[in-house]
């Protein structure tokens, strides 16, 4: 996944993007790299609001309770409405049935996405 996200960022000229693979609670990584806030992408509040609020509460409470650290503020960036229907479920479904995915992932990484999911489906 890291390679895919890095390739997507490069394809749009985003040279200031850093991608980490992390297996623990995200506020620990944010603290480790010196971040004071987190920005998360969402489709809409209707689609992603409840689980995102849970993570926001976790990022506010756990740093204080677990390590006497400062709470981590979370800000949200909504994607364009035309992509509201896109989800990992849709992606997996299309990959399973052999359908095109070029309209839901950047064309520059479609082959890498297929390859990444090949062994998992």
């Amino acid at each position: 996944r890291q390679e895919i996200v890095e390739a997507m960022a490069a394809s749009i000229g985003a040279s200031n993007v850093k991608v980490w693979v992390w297996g623990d609670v995200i506020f620990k990584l944010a603290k480790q790299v010196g971040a004071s806030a987190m920005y998360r992408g969402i489709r809409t509040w209707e689609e992603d609001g409840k689980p995102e609020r849970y993570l926001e509460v976790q990022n506010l409470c756990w740093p204080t309770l677990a390590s006497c650290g400062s709470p981590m503020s979370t800000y949200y960036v909504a994607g364009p409405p035309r992509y509201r229907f896109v989800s990992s479920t849709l992606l997996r479904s299309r990959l399973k049935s052999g359908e095109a995915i070029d309209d839901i992932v950047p064309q520059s990484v479609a082959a890498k996405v297929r390859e990444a999911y090949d062994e998992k489906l």
Side-chain angles (χ1 to χ4, degrees), residues 8-60:
M8 287 187 334
S11 75
I12 62 169
S15 59
N16 62 340
V17 173
K18 175 74 177 148
V19 180
W20 286 275
V21 175
W22 188 254
D24 202 349
V25 289
I26 195 65
F27 76 82
K28 288 183 180 179
L29 173 63
K31 184 177 178 180
Q32 182 177 316
V33 301
S36 58
M38 286 189 285
Y39 291 82
R40 296 184 55 86
I42 61 171
R43 293 172 288 182
T44 66
W45 279 113
E46 293 80 27
E47 295 287 329
D48 301 323
K50 187 175 180 178
E52 288 298 329
R53 285 292 185 197
Y54 171 78
L55 290 172
E56 181 177 10
V57 169
Q58 181 182 29
N59 293 330
L60 287 170

Side-chain angles (χ1 to χ4, degrees), residues 48-111:
D48 301 323
K50 187 175 180 178
E52 288 298 329
R53 285 292 185 197
Y54 171 78
L55 290 172
E56 181 177 10
V57 169
Q58 181 182 29
N59 293 330
L60 287 170
C61 296
W62 278 109
T64 306
L65 297 173
S67 61
C68 297
S70 300
M72 182 70 57
S73 297
T74 304
Y75 300 96
Y76 300 95
V77 180
R82 69 179 181 267
Y83 295 120
R84 181 181 180 178
F85 72 97
V86 176
S87 68
S88 58
T89 302
L90 174 64
L91 176 65
R92 287 189 306 271
S93 173
R94 286 191 181 186
L95 290 169
K96 273 184 184 177
S97 64
E99 294 177 59
I101 60 170
D102 295 27
D103 62 323
I104 60 173
V105 300
Q107 211 169 17
S108 61
V109 296

